[in-house]
Amino acid sequence: MFETKGSHTGVVLVQTIGGSSNLSGESYLIEQLFNMKFALKQLSRILLDLSKKVAFSASTTGHGVISSGSTLAFPVVINNVEGGYDPGTGTFTIPTAGQYVFYISAQGYSSDTLYVSILHNGGAKVMTMSDGGRRKDFYDSGSNLLTLNLQQGDRVWAMCQSGSNYYSEGIPITTFSGFLV
């Protein structure tokens, strides 16, 4: 049987057997309280991780030339929540594990057909193509989107597979974006 006893600091729950206090019952309740506090702290950490926002968007500037096999850096940072995107290298390093969405839009320029892939830890996952049409000063764009389940520290970037000319203006056209779902 449990009974409550008032005190100036609050109500104390005491288990009694035959009218006397049972210390092992009190120890059990204290142990349960500590276990609940520990579980609450762990749940709070999990909820904090789930509420963490991660996103980036970046763009190129003007007309650019890149060689096949090179990383396409997007030096103009539009948004970089949690700081995972490095505009100097064009690489996004995953700050928080989870499911991510990535999007690439590549505006080709000139008579070249531009192929750009999104890579995850060195492996190409999707590719976009903008067909130059074999005409001088021709513009065409291609885009692609993918989802990846990633671990903290994984890296994602864009690479030119073939072609060489890309284009952007004052309002970004050639862009790379990603976010945690």
Side-chain angles (χ1 to χ4, degrees), residues 81-167:
V81 179
E82 289 298 312
Y85 180 72
D86 180 347
T89 65
T91 301
F92 178 66
T93 303
I94 308 308
T96 302
Q99 189 73 28
Y100 283 79
V101 174
F102 293 94
Y103 177 80
I104 184 120
S105 175
Q107 176 75 42
Y109 169 71
S110 179
S111 62
D112 283 342
T113 297
L114 181 65
Y115 296 92
V116 178
S117 294
I118 296 178
L119 284 76
H120 166 231
N121 290 340
K125 297 299 179 183
V126 296
M127 184 165 49
T128 185
M129 176 189 90
S130 61
D131 185 3
R134 306 294 177 231
R135 291 184 274 164
K136 184 178 181 204
D137 295 335
F138 183 78
Y139 297 89
D140 187 39
S141 65
S143 61
N144 213 330
L145 179 134
L146 83 146
T147 62
L148 291 170
N149 189 20
L150 302 173
Q151 300 303 312
Q152 185 177 10
D154 283 357
R155 298 177 330 129
V156 177
W157 66 95
M159 184 174 78
C160 176
Q161 297 290 344
S162 173
S164 61
N165 294 292
Y166 61 88
Y167 185 78

Side-chain angles (χ1 to χ4, degrees), residues 61-98:
T61 57
H63 173 261
V65 177
I66 189 169
S67 58
S68 296
S70 296
T71 297
L72 181 55
F74 296 81
V76 178
V77 175
I78 299 165
N79 190 19
N80 196 8
V81 179
E82 289 298 312
Y85 180 72
D86 180 347
T89 65
T91 301
F92 178 66
T93 303
I94 308 308
T96 302

Side-chain angles (χ1 to χ4, degrees), residues 1 27 33 35 86 96 100 108:
M1 165 167 131
S27 297
L33 179 63
N35 287 341
D86 180 347
T96 302
Y100 283 79

